[in-house]
Amino acid sequence: MTDRPFKQYDYLDDPAAIYRASFATIRAEAELSKVPADVEKIVVRMIHASGDVGLVPDVEAHPLLVSTARDALNSGRPIFTDAEMIASGVTRRRLPAGNEVRCLLRDPRVAELAKEWRTTRSAAAVSLWGEDLEGAVVAIGNAPTALFALLELISDGGPKPAAILGIPVGFVGSAESKLALVQHPEQIPYLVVHGRRGGSALCAAALNALAREDEL
Amino acid sequence: MTDRPFKQYDYLDDPAAIYRASFATIRAEAELSKVPADVEKIVVRMIHASGDVGLVPDVEAHPLLVSTARDALNSGRPIFTDAEMIASGVTRRRLPAGNEVRCLLRDPRVAELAKEWRTTRSAAAVSLWGEDLEGAVVAIGNAPTALFALLELISDGGPKPAAILGIPVGFVGSAESKLALVQHPEQIPYLVVHGRRGGSALCAAALNALAREDEL
């Protein structure tokens, strides 16, 4: 059996102690007093995944987000996402009902549709999510075009998810797509990180916090 | 065949145009004048992945980082990483020699070693990277303990990678592990994002920028 390398540096290496110390530091430093109680753990976990306590003021959640998304997950509904990294970042043992996490970006039909529609593969993939999207949880953490496409699909009378995490990242359309989600007439319960920040790590962290009340 | 939903919002949806507009905005807004020429595209891509132009002053690269890491990748050396999300985030078509991306976190020996050594699975996995680590590219984007463990393994006379991306995230040990990398006596070419920020999205972005000079 391999030996552990000589411990040359002084650092915490007990996994549970690291988590506890991290969450304690976040709670000591982040201004969480205005965050609704049931959203607090989601914000803390997103800060944990990004190392950035400055996220707090940009997070906005619909009042029914946590309860609706948890009900959907507890009843076994799938999670749809726009990026393989997010699917990879979901901690499977935290999911309450062995929920499927589906990303269709690599579906062979996607490239063809994207070309035909002159849009991104991320946006085209949304139209392939199909009827299972009804009552599911959506987690968009990469492409603003995917979030716009989802809202357009819903406006067109397509299947309605139970909850939408709108955390795409970037400099083109990201902030606008989150505003469109918050202002969408259907008012499907949402969580957004307003502005340009977002991405797969933040989005997976939000999903992992939603999946289970317990932090460890 | 499915129809594209009615385009209700006004947004850019041509993939190449989105990339170009994103990179142009980043270059207009980020203070990149002090970033070495060969590191500039890496910083731009990390900003692109996080939506945060404020990263710039925290990025530090060894002068030989880009040339050494590119040589290693061009000659087919593997990439070792501490998180499945990073492996999932590497754009395979950007890799110059079909390089393998290896994450051993789910190796059945890891949980056992971590328990025996009383450390994290991320740190234990580093000791299983084996002799292929010599001359490879390492990308740590999650666990500070993995970066500390790697430096300890190298100090113990273990295999030496060609280059190390040190981009772990968090509130416990993250900043310290990056300082330890920069100050390590072996001076293996490194890239770090100092402080608490880091994570799999930033780390995968750095790898994708290193893999290929071309931005699109």
Side-chain angles (χ1 to χ4, degrees), chain B residues 164-194:
Chain B
I164 302 172
L165 308 186
I167 316 181
V169 61
F171 295 82
V172 175
S174 171
E176 296 84 348
S177 70
K178 295 158 186 174
L179 285 175
L181 170 58
V182 168
Q183 294 164 359
H184 193 273
E186 287 284 351
Q187 286 295 295
I188 292 170
Y190 56 78
L191 177 88
V192 300
V193 177
H194 282 294

Side-chain angles (χ1 to χ4, degrees), chain A residues 4 8 29 117 155 196, chain B residues 4 8 29 117 155 196:
Chain A
R4 179 174 180 169
Q8 166 189 358
E29 292 191 19
W117 294 353
S155 293
R196 292 162 163 183
Chain B
R4 178 174 181 170
Q8 166 189 359
E29 292 191 20
W117 294 352
S155 294
R196 292 161 163 182

Side-chain angles (χ1 to χ4, degrees), chain A residues 15-193:
Chain A
I18 294 171
Y19 266 108
R20 275 193 302 269
S22 299
F23 291 143
T25 304
I26 293 166
R27 291 198 162 91
E29 292 191 19
E31 173 45 50
L32 295 163
S33 61
K34 288 178 195 149
V35 176
D38 65 349
V39 180
E40 195 252 18
K41 285 183 178 172
I42 299 173
V43 176
V44 167
R45 209 171 188 98
M46 286 198 291
I47 293 172
H48 180 254
S50 62
D52 188 352
V53 295
L55 280 178
V56 184
D58 288 340
V59 179
E60 181 182 351
H62 183 283
L64 296 180
L65 181 268
V66 175
S67 55
T68 312
R70 285 230 168 102
D71 283 353
L73 293 176
N74 288 336
S75 66
R77 300 300 303 146
I79 296 166
F80 288 93
T81 180
D82 69 327
E84 294 286 349
M85 274 188 88
I86 299 166
S88 167
V90 174
T91 306
R92 293 308 191 275
R93 64 173 171 75
R94 292 185 64 85
L95 295 174
N99 312 253
E100 272 189 65
V101 185
R102 298 190 205 160
C103 173
L104 272 75
L105 205 58
R106 292 180 190 156
D107 184 292
R109 297 167 293 173
V110 165
E112 204 180 321
L113 271 189
K115 201 173 165 187
E116 188 189 321
W117 294 353
R118 295 171 178 239
T119 188
T120 64
R121 292 191 304 126
S122 305
V126 169
S127 284
L128 297 177
W129 289 350
E131 290 303 319
D132 279 353
L133 178 56
E134 184 74 34
V137 172
V138 172
I140 291 178
N142 183 40
T145 53
L147 183 49
F148 280 125
L150 173 66
L151 297 176
E152 291 169 344
L153 185 75
I154 294 166
S155 293
D156 273 9
K160 282 201 303 189
I164 301 172
L165 309 186
I167 316 182
V169 61
F171 295 82
V172 175
S174 171
E176 295 84 348
S177 70
K178 295 158 186 174
L179 285 175
L181 169 58
V182 168
Q183 294 164 0
H184 193 273
E186 287 285 350
Q187 286 293 297
I188 292 171
Y190 56 77
L191 178 87
V192 300
V193 177

